[in-house]
Amino acid sequence: MKNSLPLDLAASAGCELLMLVDPGTLRVLMASASTAATLGYPTTQLTGMSITQIETGLQGVFYWEEVAAGHAGEVRQQDDLYRCADGRLLAVTKSIERLDTGHGFCLLIRATTGNGLQAAQDVLAQTLSRLRATLESTGNGILVVDWQGGICSMNRRFSQIWGLSEALLQGQNDDAIVAFLVASVREPDTLRSRIQVVADPTTTEDTLHHLDGRVLEFTSRPQYLGEAITGRVFSVQDVTQRTLDAQALRESRDQLELRVKARTADLQALNATLQTEKERLAELVRQLESAQAQLMQSERMASIGQLAAGVAHEINNPVGFVNSNLGSLKQYVERLLSLLDVYEAAEAELLPAARARMEQARAGADLAYLRTDITDLLAESADGLQRVTRIVQDLKNFSHPDSTERQLADLEQGLESTLRVVWNELKYKCQVTKNFAGLPQIMCHPFQLNQVFMNLLVNASQAIEKQGSIHIRTGFDDTEVWVAIEDSGKGIQPEHLSRLFDPFFTTKPVGQGTGLGLSLAYGIVQKHGGRIDVQSTPGQGSTFTVWLPREHQP
């Protein structure tokens, strides 16, 4: 292949560096003696080396990557850096040409050393010095790697944070340094993956935990030259104190939240207690209002009772003397009738003219009718007076104030007395039937129970709109007696049953009921140790049953 080349590279002289490169393998096929001498490699060693081991400038690296990918172009006057055998970098200006061989092509490199090498090195040294000063002045630890993953530089802060020994730093063994870093944290896989991945365009942030307990914030960013990634910069910051402060702040906040929750729970409990107390006070107020209303009703009934007792007493006086006079009148009539009998017996002895006048007077007076009717009139008047007397007595009994002591009483007799008092309310639209079982007497306040029966009878009457019936039944067993008052009225709606005995609750139109009658009845029965049961069917009627214990339970 050498015989087919258009020039003899080995015979070339001067400071021009000539190399012939295979584009497929990137191996140096031939090199001039001046090239070997300038770079310090033996000619035999230089031949066969990869061109990427010699050219280290970024533009050269990118160019040979394009060649390896099959895109080989020519280059004119491009600056590059050649690595010498002793490690020095040599600044050159190169050109690359394509040479056809008949079986393909090769790449001819012509490079000359720059005359301004020292000036370039001085500028580079100044730039590196400024970069080093910048890196050292920052508070973060900085690590820079090249595009191949090799460590280019790090600042002193980085080595301090990680605790890199002087021997490790002087050894310049990149793999050993990376192994030391990875072994120092609890997340070795995360750190290893971040350091090994160089060409990733993304920026990463990780929180690492050092084995000695410190917390490190590790940031990775790509380094660009133009549009190409040429390496990676890693920044590490010790955030242990900040983490501890944040944790303390969170714990303080959590404690505050717990205290707030506890205080909130206390306030809620206090609110619940206050609400319960408020409801209890409202219930007490309601009971007080009910008691006041009952007291007013009791006072009203007491006043009415006193008036009724006075009226009854006043009625008793004329009834008494009318009854007495009626008795005397009956005796007088009987005497007059006896006298008429004597006159009639002597009528035959009279002269015809006198007897004719007597006959005429008897016929005109209708004496035969008067004899029978006057007796009936006197009997009916006496019966009417007896009825007035009973009603007045019932009214006196009903309005009589209760004593503080209980007494034996006949409830059925109280029912009869109450019926006579309220009869005027019932007689026009109610047919009253009674089915008494002969209740035994019980210890009670009879006049209070009469009030209960009166309220139930009046309510039963008012539930009947036109015509209906009221059925009163009594019964008893070994422990209780009961009185049931059943009506055929309009009944009670189911939703109203639970509120029937609440003070001021009424289903009557406004102005027709106070809502206190059943409440008073319930209170009286409850005070006697009894109960009131209600059964009702809308449209068919209701039954109120009063249960009372046979034995007094103090």
Side-chain angles (χ1 to χ4, degrees):
M1 180 176 178
K2 289 182 180 180
N3 295 333
S4 64
L5 294 177
L7 69 158
D8 187 358
L9 295 180
S12 300
C15 63
E16 186 177 40
L17 308 181
L18 300 176
M19 290 180 288
L20 192 62
V21 178
D22 181 4
T25 63
L26 302 185
R27 297 292 179 182
V28 177
L29 299 177
M30 297 179 65
S32 65
S34 61
T35 302
T38 302
L39 298 180
Y41 294 100
T43 305
T44 56
Q45 181 183 354
L46 187 59
T47 303
M49 289 178 63
S50 173
I51 189 61
T52 58
Q53 293 178 281
I54 300 171
E55 293 191 357
T56 60
L58 290 177
Q59 289 184 334
V61 171
F62 295 150
Y63 173 79
W64 291 115
E65 285 184 352
E66 292 292 323
V67 172
H71 307 290
E74 294 188 347
V75 175
R76 293 287 183 269
Q77 300 298 313
Q78 185 182 84
D79 293 332
D80 207 336
L81 293 174
Y82 278 11
R83 186 183 298 276
C84 299
D86 59 4
R88 294 180 298 106
L89 295 178
L90 181 63
V92 300
T93 300
K94 69 177 183 181
S95 297
I96 302 177
E97 304 174 10
R98 290 170 57 104
L99 296 179
D100 293 328
T101 63
H103 302 286
F105 68 92
C106 294
L107 297 174
L108 175 63
I109 302 175
R110 297 177 182 273
T112 57
T113 58
N115 296 327
L117 176 61
Q118 186 62 44
Q121 289 177 344
D122 292 342
V123 173
L124 178 61
Q126 293 177 2
T127 303
L128 290 175
S129 176
R130 287 194 295 269
L131 178 60
R132 171 62 63 179
T134 301
L135 292 179
E136 292 298 338
S137 65
T138 181
N140 293 354
I142 302 297
L143 174 69
V144 183
V145 300
D146 59 21
W147 70 280
Q148 292 178 325
I151 297 177
C152 297
S153 63
M154 71 175 70
N155 65 356
R156 187 177 295 106
R157 181 59 181 160
F158 186 88
S159 63
Q160 291 174 349
I161 291 176
W162 290 97
L164 297 174
S165 65
E166 192 65 28
L168 192 58
L169 293 173
Q170 292 295 332
Q172 296 186 352
N173 187 332
D174 294 353
D175 293 338
I177 293 175
V178 172
F180 179 83
L181 299 178
V182 170
S184 300
V185 297
R186 298 176 185 173
E187 301 87 0
D189 295 337
T190 301
L191 181 56
R192 183 183 296 108
S193 64
R194 295 290 185 247
I195 294 177
Q196 289 178 348
V197 177
V198 178
D200 188 353
T202 60
T203 297
T204 62
E205 293 183 1
D206 299 289
T207 299
L208 304 177
H209 297 81
H210 200 280
L211 295 180
D212 62 7
R214 289 178 296 143
V215 181
L216 305 178
E217 192 175 77
F218 194 76
T219 305
S220 169
R221 292 182 176 84
Q223 180 182 6
Y224 287 92
L225 180 60
E227 298 295 331
I229 296 176
T230 60
R232 205 160 188 86
V233 178
F234 299 95
S235 172
V236 63
Q237 183 180 5
D238 188 343
V239 295
T240 305
Q241 188 59 47
R242 188 176 72 188
T243 303
L244 293 176
D245 292 343
Q247 182 178 357
L249 181 61
R250 286 194 300 271
E251 291 176 354
S252 177
R253 183 190 61 196
D254 293 342
Q255 290 295 327
L256 180 61
E257 289 180 353
L258 290 176
R259 288 197 295 269
V260 170
K261 288 181 180 178
R263 182 59 60 86
T264 302
D266 292 342
L267 290 176
Q268 289 176 346
L270 181 59
N271 285 337
T273 302
L274 290 176
Q275 183 64 27
T276 302
E277 187 67 18
K278 179 181 177 181
E279 293 174 356
R280 190 181 70 84
L281 290 175
E283 177 63 21
L284 290 176
V285 170
R286 188 187 67 80
Q287 293 178 2
L288 181 61
E289 291 176 347
S290 174
Q292 183 180 12
Q294 294 183 19
L295 180 61
M296 292 173 60
Q297 181 70 5
S298 298
E299 290 293 332
R300 186 182 299 111
M301 293 300 296
S303 299
I304 294 175
Q306 291 177 0
L307 292 174
V311 171
H313 179 71
E314 293 298 325
I315 293 175
N316 267 338
N317 290 332
V319 166
F321 67 72
V322 168
N323 190 40
S324 176
N325 292 343
L326 191 61
S328 300
L329 179 62
K330 181 179 179 182
Q331 294 178 4
Y332 297 160
V333 169
E334 288 175 351
R335 291 177 187 178
L336 290 173
L337 291 177
S338 298
L339 181 59
L340 285 175
D341 291 338
V342 173
Y343 285 150
E344 287 180 347
E347 183 179 356
E349 300 176 2
L350 297 176
L351 295 175
R355 192 167 54 247
R357 289 195 300 272
M358 288 288 294
E359 286 291 342
Q360 185 178 2
R362 184 168 50 241
D366 197 2
L367 185 60
Y369 175 75
L370 288 179
R371 282 180 178 275
T372 58
D373 191 50
I374 196 170
T375 303
D376 293 340
L377 289 178
L378 288 172
E380 288 178 3
S381 297
D383 181 64
L385 283 174
Q386 290 297 324
R387 289 173 60 186
V388 170
T389 302
R390 284 197 302 270
I391 290 173
V392 170
Q393 186 62 40
D394 289 336
L395 187 60
K396 289 180 64 178
N397 291 337
F398 191 83
S399 60
H400 192 279
D402 268 337
S403 63
T404 57
E405 299 293 333
R406 298 193 183 207
Q407 54 184 295
L408 278 174
D410 185 344
L411 296 185
E412 292 176 347
Q413 183 178 353
L415 281 168
E416 293 282 9
S417 176
T418 304
L419 270 173
R420 287 192 289 269
V421 171
V422 301
W423 181 245
N424 189 66
E425 181 77 18
L426 308 179
K427 64 182 180 180
Y428 295 108
K429 60 179 179 180
C430 301
Q431 180 181 359
V432 179
T433 58
K434 296 176 290 185
N435 186 8
F436 291 168
L439 295 181
Q441 292 186 343
I442 64 171
M443 293 294 294
C444 63
H445 295 284
F447 302 109
Q448 292 183 8
L449 294 179
N450 287 348
Q451 174 76 41
V452 174
F453 301 146
M454 184 188 74
N455 288 343
L456 296 180
L457 287 169
V458 170
N459 282 351
S461 172
Q462 292 175 347
I464 299 173
E465 296 179 344
K466 295 181 179 179
Q467 294 292 324
S469 62
I470 296 177
H471 188 195
I472 305 173
R473 292 176 286 113
T474 64
F476 63 93
D477 55 24
D478 293 338
T479 60
E480 293 179 306
V481 299
W482 54 267
V483 176
I485 299 177
E486 179 183 356
D487 66 72
S488 61
K490 58 186 176 181
I492 304 168
Q493 297 299 321
E495 63 270 18
H496 294 156
L497 288 175
S498 61
R499 301 185 59 194
L500 282 180
F501 302 109
D502 290 349
F504 307 109
F505 176 78
T506 180
T507 59
K508 299 174 184 177
V510 176
Q512 296 186 18
T514 63
L516 292 174
L518 288 179
S519 176
L520 290 171
Y522 181 82
I524 292 172
V525 173
Q526 193 176 45
K527 185 171 68 175
H528 280 77
R531 66 188 189 278
I532 301 179
D533 293 339
V534 184
Q535 294 179 343
S536 182
T537 302
Q540 298 183 19
S542 305
T543 301
F544 286 77
T545 305
V546 178
W547 296 82
L548 296 168
R550 293 183 61 171
E551 298 294 334
H552 171 52
Q553 298 177 356

